[in-house]
Every structure is written in C-alpha cells, then in structure tokens.
Amino acid sequence: MADDSIAVVDLERCQPDRCNYECKNFCPPNRTGKECITVRGEDAEDGKPDQVRISEEICLGETCGICVEKCPFDAIEIINLPSELEEHPAHRYGENAFSLYGLPTPQQGQVTGILGPNGIGKTTAVRILAGELMPNLGEYADPPDFEAVLDEYRGTEKQTYLERLDEGDLSVSRKPQYVDEIPSQFDGVTRELLEATDERGVLDELVERMEIGPVMDQSIDSLSGGELQRVAIIACLARDADFYFLDEITPYLDIGQRVTAARIIRELADEGEKSMLVVEHDLAILDLLADNLNIAYGEPGAYGVVTDPKSVRNGINEYLKGYLENENMRVRPNAIKFEEHAPRPVEKGQVLAEYPDMEMSYGEGEFSLSVDGGAIRENEVLGIVGPNGIGKSTFAKMLAGNLEPTSGDVDVDLDISYKPQYIDIAQPMRVDVFLQSITDQFGSSYWDTEIAQPLQLNRIMEQNLEDLSGGERQRVAIAACLSEDADLYLLDEPSAHLDVEQRVQATRAIRRYAERQDATVMVIDHDIYMIDLLADRLQVFEGEPAKHGHATPPQEMRSGMNEFLSNLGVTFRRDERTKRPRVNKPGSQLDKQQRKDGEYYYAN
C-alpha cells in the first residue's frame, strides 16, 4: 500500500460467523498467492481469532477497494491519508485500528478549544495530555520509550508540556463527556460529591453562580441531566489543578447556564497559570470562551488529524465553510449558511390544532406552569425555547397526552410522535430490529435517503441499543420519532451529544421531512444555531425556573428571539464574513446599542 494509505477493520462489525470471507476470497493480491487479507490467530488480543487482518504493506490501497465493497457488514475501510500529514501518527491503537495525527498544545492562562466530529480522536488526544495514555508514534507492536517520544516533539511546546507531566509537575482535573453515567459511579448526595472536590475553597461561589443550591442535599441519582451537567462542571473547576479538561459543557444546559459556565471557565484561565482544554460542539459558546482553536478532521473511527492552533474566529469560519485554508483540506462538501436578517414572515397555513389556556400545578409550593392558548399550523417547524426547569417538557407531555393539566382541556385529537429529552432505549435489541418494529418504511429507498443516511445510521444498524454512545442513541431516537405515522412530531432536545456535523444533518433531516411529508414538527432545544436554521416560528417560555413558568403563544422568529434573549440578557452580533451569530461581550458598545434598539439577534 502507498505510504499515505491505511487499512481499518472495525472489529465490532466484523462478523466472520455470518459471512464467507468475501473480503479475503476476492482480494486481488490474495488471488495471486500473497497473504494480504488473513485470519487473526488464536493469540489475537484485539478481536476474535477468526476475524480478519489486512497487511498494509501488500494492500493495493483505495484504488482497489474490492474488500470494502464485498464486506457485507461495512467493517473495512481503505483510506488515502492527506499528503500533508506528518510522518508518524501521535498514536495508533493497533493493527488496522484508529490512528491519531497531531496533538493540541494547552497554553498557560488560555482556553484551547477543540472542534470536530465525534469519533475523530479528541478524547484520545486528551488522554495523552492527561498522562493516561503514552503516545506510541504509531509503533503499536513495539512502543517507543519516553525519550523517543520527547525526541519526536523536541523544540516544541508539546515537549515542555510532556516533560512537566512526566515529572509530576502538572496536575489534571477532568470533566467527563457523559454526565448521566455519574450516578453509577457515585452513591450519595450532591453535597458529599462536591465537598470532596473543593480544593480551591470556591465551592460556595460556584454553587451559587451555577444555581445548584436547591439540589445540594438530594441524592445524585435523582438529579436531572442539566443538574448533573452543572455538578460535573463544578466538581472539575473546584479542584486545584494546572490543566483542566472539559468534555462538552453544554448538553442539557439552557443558553443562560451555558454562558455562565463559559464565563466561569474564562475567569479561571485568566488567573494566569491555568491551562484549559475544552471540547465543545456549541459554536456560540466555543466562540465566547476560547482563545485559540484546534480543528479535528478525518474519518470517524479510522483516523483523526488535529490541526495547529487557529484563531477562534477563523477556525470556526473555516469549519463552517468546509475548507481548512492552511491545511488545504475540504472537510465538508457544502458550507453551513446563516440568514443575516430575520426570516420573512411565514404565510399563515391551515391550523392543525388549537389548544386553550391551561395550567399545570404540582401542588402548593411546587412548580406551576401557565400556558397561553395558541395554534399549531400545518407544515411548520415550531421552535420552543426557554430556560431549564421552566415547563417546556411539561407542556410537551400535556400535548402528547402523557400528562393531565390541572385546568384546561387539552383535546388536540392528534397522533403525536414524541422523542423525550432523556432517551431510555438501552435494551438488548439490535438497532435495525428496533427501527423495523416502528415503521413499515424501514429499508425503503425514501427512508434510507431521507432518514437513515442524514442521521448516519447505516454503520450502527447491527449494534445493540445498549452498546450505543449518547450521540448514537440520540440519532436512533430522532429516526424512531420521524419514522412513525403521526400528525405532529415533537422532539425534545435533539441536539444533545451530537457534534456539529450531526446537528447540521439532523436539522436538515427534520426540516426536509417536514417539507416533503407536509408534516408539522415541534422542536425544543437550547442550541441557538439549530433553532435559527430549523424553525419557522418560536414559542417562548419564561418565568422562574423550578418555581413557575409561563408559555407565550407561538410568534414570528424576530419577535420570539428578541423576547427570549431579552429575558436572558444576551445579545448576538453577526460575523462579517459568514453572518453566523456570535455572543456579544456584556457591556460592550454593540451589546448596549442592540439592547437599546431591542434587537438581540437579527440585528441589521
């Protein structure tokens, strides 16, 4: 194989007991007597002994690709690597396994951001920087010693960083990606967990700013996703460390909580000696908190490349454009575009359903919600925005018939397909069997084109639901919701755990489904970009979280965004080149002017 190509075998997908070794039997070098594709021996450590391995020295490369086409389980990839890559990867997990090229370099007193798809090696990079994984420079069979690793990075800031790490002169604090796993790792109340991490003596301040006080004496396993996320952020930042790594700070947090978390991280970095590394998919928040940005690109599950640092503005703009200028690399066929001005008022369509004024009260002194009556139109995407704990999911459950309001007769008489906020589909069932049980469209050309492909489901069809990651489970849940025959499709936080690419694909799938099927969709989400790209109208929830909420009737995008963001005290400006929204610094001249003009988002 050419030096700039690699062969990857997904051992979770390789199922030789269900095939006839088509890859091995049809391989051209094999048919000439060479041993290009062989069966792993009894001593195989990274897979079953009867799975296949590919010799990269003999393989003809991507120009052949016969094994890729013949494999019935899509378990093989032959990939031509970008010619600009450095000679050695930072790490490779094994034969025919994932390779990572390049590493980010944390800077003292700065926040370094990493932006890229899931499965591209961001966590591998962080494990190396945290001292949990020794980089093997691609020599997985005979890993180099530490001195050889230092020689590879000699003369760079990475060398200094790794030396400090090796000498024990660098302490690390990490926030995990999937906070819903915390209850399985800690048994106790919130206060016990957080007090054990308070090495800087700042716990009281963090608890107050992140508004987690009301759950300090609650059991960890009773907390919501948003509460767990805030607890995880506090636990990470309360420690006294030199290097802080935060893996996705925004899932389940509303925009106000996201901005608060970003400001706290920013302030800690500004103290001077702290290095911060943040992996994040919310571009507005990444833009707000990072000093520099590393883009990660490649083929998820096969190889990843971490670029040299870029300015945050240029890095995000290049990523949205789909073309990395310094690397001369196209990472997306089409650019992601935003409207500079508010969308034109949508034509009033036929009313699909009307709902009356209604209220929901959980008892004296408990949370209550009041809803102004309104109408849902046919063939529209209605965005629903507001803080956490304000009643959005309660409203969704009332519409879906899963919750009876205290007053007001919800009689919309609609078939509703509902994707809940917290997805509970972890069961011993394959993805394809689960989806096939939901829709008779499964496997049709339309379903494959409009749902399976945009949501990137094909490669996980034969996995069990209980083995899926948070992002994979989210995409299956979106597909399941859209696959049902319904009058109204209601999706609660579809962006959670999805990377930027997946959010764009999910947005397009939802939007296209609504347009082509004349369907009506309601989407509850905290990602401003996703709501901007997706919604025709907005319904705004306001009030005091966990105490009382109020839902306004659906309204046009401009007035809805202004009402929503004025409640939060956040304004957005437009990037001059891409027109993407960017959070204004509070108290800046532009922030003050937009507040005065009452234009918090679609400013002229």
Side-chain angles (χ1 to χ4, degrees):
M1 184 186 289
D3 291 338
D4 58 353
S5 297
I6 61 172
V8 179
V9 178
D10 188 333
L11 297 180
E12 291 186 359
R13 299 180 62 81
C14 181
Q15 302 182 49
D17 56 333
R18 298 176 57 201
C19 77
N20 296 312
Y21 288 110
E22 287 88 344
C23 58
K24 177 174 176 286
N25 295 331
F26 284 91
C27 172
N30 276 29
R31 299 182 73 164
T32 63
K34 298 179 181 178
E35 293 187 341
C36 179
I37 300 181
T38 57
V39 178
R40 294 169 182 263
E42 292 297 329
D43 59 345
E45 298 179 356
D46 52 356
K48 299 176 182 178
D50 52 354
Q51 290 175 314
V52 301
R53 59 158 51 95
I54 301 175
S55 169
E56 293 180 346
E57 289 74 22
I58 300 175
C59 179
L60 300 178
E62 196 173 24
T63 54
C64 171
I66 290 178
C67 59
V68 177
E69 295 297 326
K70 292 296 182 181
C71 178
F73 305 111
D74 293 326
I76 299 175
E77 290 187 87
I78 307 295
I79 300 168
N80 286 340
L81 298 175
S83 58
E84 295 82 1
L85 286 185
E86 58 194 62
E87 183 177 353
H88 301 293
H91 192 78
R92 190 169 191 183
Y93 281 97
E95 184 180 34
N96 304 147
F98 181 86
S99 299
L100 174 67
Y101 293 81
L103 290 172
T105 306
Q107 304 282 334
Q108 284 192 351
Q110 293 191 359
V111 179
T112 298
I114 305 181
L115 173 63
N118 290 326
I120 210 74
K122 300 187 297 295
T123 300
T124 296
V126 169
R127 289 187 62 203
I128 292 173
L129 295 176
E132 299 174 5
L133 181 67
M134 173 68 74
N136 61 23
L137 308 182
E139 302 296 331
Y140 53 85
D142 184 19
D145 59 22
F146 186 68
E147 288 302 318
V149 173
L150 288 183
D151 283 341
E152 179 73 14
Y153 297 112
R154 193 162 302 282
T156 69
E157 293 176 340
K158 295 182 182 68
Q159 176 196 355
T160 303
Y161 180 90
L162 292 172
E163 284 178 333
R164 288 188 61 199
L165 190 65
D166 181 62
E167 294 167 359
D169 189 32
L170 200 65
S171 56
V172 178
S173 179
R174 290 187 57 181
K175 187 205 84 69
Q177 179 180 14
Y178 297 118
V179 297
D180 49 2
E181 297 176 358
I182 293 177
S184 65
Q185 301 168 358
F186 179 84
D187 183 18
V189 300
T190 306
R191 186 181 304 277
E192 293 172 342
L193 186 153
L194 292 180
E195 286 181 347
T197 67
D198 189 22
E199 298 171 353
R200 298 196 299 121
V202 294
L203 181 59
D204 291 342
E205 177 189 351
L206 292 177
V207 166
E208 180 179 358
R209 294 183 66 179
M210 295 297 289
E211 299 178 334
I212 210 71
V215 301
M216 285 291 283
D217 295 310
Q218 289 186 23
S219 174
I220 284 290
D221 61 11
S222 71
L223 302 189
S224 69
E227 290 162 347
L228 283 172
Q229 187 70 267
R230 284 176 283 163
V231 166
I233 293 171
I234 293 172
C236 176
L237 299 181
R239 293 192 181 277
D240 188 12
D242 301 298
F243 170 46
Y244 294 83
F245 166 62
L246 298 103
D247 199 343
E248 294 193 36
I249 64 172
T250 62
Y252 307 125
L253 299 189
D254 62 47
I255 182 64
Q257 294 165 342
R258 295 178 183 197
V259 170
T260 297
R263 288 172 180 166
I264 293 173
I265 294 168
R266 179 72 264 163
E267 291 166 8
L268 181 56
D270 289 341
E271 291 182 7
E273 298 299 321
K274 308 298 184 182
S275 299
M276 320 291 288
L277 188 64
V278 180
V279 174
E280 184 51 59
H281 300 302
D282 186 320
L283 298 181
I285 296 304
L286 194 58
D287 190 16
L288 179 65
L289 67 85
D291 294 294
N292 54 74
L293 185 65
N294 297 92
I295 303 296
Y297 67 92
E299 292 286 340
Y303 79 96
V305 183
V306 178
T307 69
D308 290 333
K310 302 174 181 286
S311 72
V312 178
R313 178 189 175 191
N314 287 342
I316 293 179
N317 284 352
E318 287 181 15
Y319 195 79
L320 291 173
K321 186 180 179 181
Y323 177 71
L324 307 181
E325 295 180 1
N326 289 345
E327 292 74 20
N328 190 28
M329 177 59 57
R330 180 156 294 282
V331 297
R332 187 188 311 102
N334 300 306
I336 300 173
K337 297 181 179 179
F338 295 89
E339 296 292 336
E340 182 175 4
H341 305 291
R344 296 174 182 174
V346 294
E347 296 182 3
K348 293 185 177 181
Q350 295 292 319
V351 173
L352 176 68
E354 292 183 291
Y355 55 89
D357 292 351
M358 50 187 176
E359 296 183 356
M360 181 65 205
S361 176
Y362 288 92
E364 186 175 352
E366 301 292 329
F367 178 76
S368 62
L369 171 68
S370 63
V371 178
D372 292 343
I376 304 169
R377 298 175 186 167
E378 293 182 351
N379 313 333
E380 77 168 343
V381 178
L382 177 63
I384 300 179
V385 294
N388 278 330
I390 207 71
K392 301 185 301 297
S393 295
T394 296
F395 174 69
K397 291 175 182 176
M398 289 193 293
L399 274 188
N402 297 334
L403 189 64
E404 188 73 24
T406 307
S407 67
D409 184 15
V410 184
D411 185 20
V412 294
D413 192 26
L414 297 175
D415 290 327
I416 298 177
S417 180
Y418 177 47
K419 186 206 81 68
Q421 179 181 16
Y422 302 115
I423 302 165
D424 185 18
I425 56 173
Q427 48 187 295
M429 179 186 295
R430 284 186 5 175
V431 172
D432 54 356
V433 175
F434 171 70
L435 292 173
Q436 194 167 13
S437 69
I438 292 173
T439 177
D440 56 8
Q441 299 181 63
F442 182 83
S444 68
S445 59
Y446 173 83
W447 193 88
D448 287 340
T449 301
E450 300 298 332
I451 295 180
Q453 291 181 21
L455 294 175
Q456 302 172 352
L457 298 180
N458 293 328
R459 290 188 61 81
I460 62 173
M461 280 296 186
E462 296 187 350
Q463 293 187 34
N464 285 331
L465 293 169
E466 58 189 353
D467 297 330
L468 300 181
S469 69
E472 290 168 341
R473 197 172 299 171
Q474 183 73 266
R475 280 145 46 205
V476 170
I478 294 172
C481 178
L482 296 180
S483 296
E484 294 191 29
D485 186 13
D487 302 307
L488 175 65
Y489 297 85
L490 206 166
L491 298 100
D492 197 343
E493 288 204 47
S495 74
H497 296 308
L498 299 187
D499 61 39
V500 174
E501 299 294 324
Q502 292 164 347
R503 292 181 190 198
V504 171
Q505 294 288 357
T507 298
R508 288 174 177 167
I510 296 168
R511 179 81 243 179
R512 191 160 50 228
Y513 188 86
E515 292 173 350
R516 298 189 179 184
Q517 296 296 304
D518 293 331
T520 300
V521 181
M522 297 177 68
V523 176
I524 302 171
D525 212 284
H526 296 301
D527 189 308
I528 291 293
Y529 286 13
M530 189 172 194
I531 289 292
D532 184 27
L533 292 168
L534 190 59
D536 297 307
R537 293 192 299 159
L538 281 185
Q539 184 180 26
V540 180
F541 280 67
E542 54 196 6
E544 188 173 355
K547 293 187 177 181
H548 61 83
H550 172 247
T552 65
Q555 55 189 299
E556 304 301 329
M557 288 293 291
R558 181 188 290 272
S559 61
M561 278 291 195
N562 284 336
E563 180 177 346
F564 170 52
L565 294 176
S566 66
N567 292 336
L568 294 173
V570 176
T571 63
F572 284 77
R573 68 188 183 280
R574 293 281 161 173
D575 184 86
E576 295 178 359
R577 290 173 53 192
T578 66
K579 309 307 177 186
R580 69 177 172 89
R582 304 182 67 190
V583 179
N584 284 323
K585 183 177 180 179
S588 66
Q589 183 175 354
L590 197 54
D591 178 64
K592 292 179 180 178
Q593 185 61 49
Q594 287 183 216
R595 290 173 188 267
K596 180 180 178 182
D597 295 340
E599 291 289 357
Y600 286 74
Y601 193 72
Y602 296 109
N604 293 322

